[in-house]
């Protein structure tokens, strides 16, 4: 892996970790900085989300500091310059979900372009 790819992967992982932080999630301005304007998600519930609907949920305190998301096995691949794919297992309040995110580098930094959650057995 090149230094450039290593830096891209680290930046995407750091940004993903911020989005999982309850303090960041509670601040729409910080979440907005991490979501691409064209953001889409297919949640573990099967529901489709966009940036506006995600901001409404996250600002409502969807994750409490007393019950954080536990992440295991986060890894990623640089698909092309400025595009990173991350995968990991997330557990929150007894629910386990496989997560997959696409991050892209924009003029304002790394932003999540697409996210998907699939319930884990």
């Amino acid at each position: 892996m090149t230094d450039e790819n290593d830096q891209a992967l680290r930046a995407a992982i750091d940004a993903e970790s911020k989005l999982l932080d309850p303090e960041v999630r509670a601040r729409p301005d910080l979440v907005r900085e991490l979501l691409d304007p064209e953001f889409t998600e297919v949640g573990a519930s099967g529901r489709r989300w966009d940036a506006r609907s995600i901001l409404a949920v996250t600002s409502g305190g969807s994750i409490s500091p007393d019950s954080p998301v536990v992440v295991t096995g986060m890894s990623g691949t640089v698909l092309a310059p400025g595009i990173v794919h991350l995968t990991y297992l997330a557990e929150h309040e007894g629910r386990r979900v496989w997560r997959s995110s696409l991050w892209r580098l924009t003029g304002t930094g790394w932003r999540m372009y697409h996210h998907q959650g699939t319930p884990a057995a």
Side-chain angles (χ1 to χ4, degrees):
M1 181 177 289
T2 68
D3 285 343
E4 187 175 300
N5 283 355
D6 210 24
Q7 289 173 355
L9 189 54
R10 174 59 34 214
I13 288 172
D14 288 347
E16 183 90 30
S17 296
K18 286 179 186 174
L19 278 176
L20 293 167
D21 181 325
E23 292 181 19
V24 171
R25 291 175 69 89
R27 295 204 30 211
D29 59 319
L30 297 179
V31 174
R32 193 176 295 110
E33 288 176 9
L34 294 167
L35 295 182
D36 194 274
E38 297 177 29
F39 171 80
T40 60
E41 176 176 337
V42 178
S45 65
R47 182 175 173 184
R48 293 186 52 88
W49 302 83
D50 59 14
R52 184 172 49 226
S53 59
I54 284 293
L55 284 166
V57 170
T58 59
S59 63
S62 60
I63 296 177
S64 164
D66 298 330
S67 179
V69 174
V70 176
V71 172
T72 55
M74 187 177 292
S75 64
T77 302
V78 175
L79 299 177
I83 305 290
V84 172
H85 179 227
L86 298 179
T87 58
Y88 58 95
L89 182 65
E91 187 169 346
H92 182 244
E93 298 181 344
R95 185 171 187 217
R96 294 167 33 103
V97 178
W98 289 109
R99 299 284 179 181
S100 174
S101 299
L102 287 175
W103 287 85
R104 70 177 174 180
L105 183 59
T106 70
T108 58
W110 286 92
R111 296 198 170 203
M112 183 184 284
Y113 177 73
H114 181 74
H115 186 76
Q116 178 151 355
T118 303

